[in-house]
Amino acid sequence: SLIWGTSFLWIKLAVEAFKPGLVALLRVTLGFVAILLMLIVLHRGNMNQVAAEFRFVWGPNHRLRVILLGIGWMGGPFMLLAIAAQYIDSSLSGMLIGAMPLMVAVIASISLRKLPGWKHLIGLVIGFAGVVMIVMADMASLTSADDAVNATSAATASTAATAATASTAAVSAST
């Protein structure tokens, strides 16, 4: 949780030194390196097995899915989050990303054409109200209305894009 929780702070610090696109690329690259190292450890250094894992994931049956998920679930949201980090506090970024289960529930309901039960609806309304209150409190600290629109749009788009991809992946896996 320490790594996940501080990632928004690191993004905020990174966009002060680098452009948002580079920050997003670095996040994806570091993630790739981490997964590669875990695979090497998992397979006890047997690079043939590691290569087989990558051939399976990148095989012709999975290639289009991997590309779409990479763009929709990682590249796009990471870029939007880096853009938002130029305008808002890292704590607000974390809270908006923390609201992703709310977005997943809404998008999954739309995708499945099935409304959640009334107890879930009440929970969603309370959750969204909390997010709105947090965002409204933070928006007061921005220097201009343009900053508020840019920040909220980028962070919300990042959350929605990730949630939509996750919902779509879950719905397609269940059918």
Side-chain angles (χ1 to χ4, degrees):
S1 68
L2 179 66
I3 293 171
W4 186 89
T6 59
S7 66
F8 303 104
L9 173 62
W10 293 116
I11 293 166
K12 179 75 172 174
L13 294 173
V15 295
E16 291 175 7
F18 306 109
K19 292 186 179 196
L22 181 58
V23 172
L25 179 63
L26 289 172
R27 286 187 72 196
V28 171
T29 302
L30 288 172
F32 172 78
V33 170
I35 290 171
L36 179 61
L37 291 174
M38 287 190 303
L39 282 173
I40 291 169
V41 169
L42 178 71
H43 293 298
R44 296 185 175 103
N46 185 335
M47 295 309 288
N48 289 328
Q49 286 181 326
V50 172
E53 294 271 359
F54 278 101
R55 278 193 299 276
F56 172 75
V57 170
W58 192 245
N61 296 338
H62 303 289
R63 193 168 293 149
L64 181 59
R65 280 190 204 150
V66 170
I67 290 170
L68 292 176
L69 285 172
I71 293 168
W73 210 344
M74 296 292 137
F78 283 6
M79 178 69 171
L80 293 169
L81 196 57
I83 291 169
Q86 296 174 319
Y87 303 100
I88 61 176
D89 291 335
S90 60
S91 60
L92 180 58
S93 294
M95 300 250 189
L96 289 170
I97 294 299
M100 194 178 314
L102 300 170
M103 299 293 284
V104 169
V106 169
I107 293 169
S109 293
I110 292 167
S111 299
L112 295 172
R113 294 184 180 98
K114 181 180 177 191
L115 287 174
W118 67 272
K119 290 180 183 178
H120 293 133
L121 281 173
I122 291 170
L124 287 169
V125 168
I126 292 170
F128 276 113
V131 170
V132 167
M133 287 190 293
I134 290 168
V135 169
M136 296 295 283
D138 200 74
M139 290 300 112
S141 68
L142 294 175
T143 56
S144 73
D146 288 342
D147 285 352
V149 169
N150 290 339
T152 306
S153 298
T156 304
S158 175
T159 302
T162 304
T165 308
S167 299
T168 304
V171 168
S172 67
S174 68
T175 56

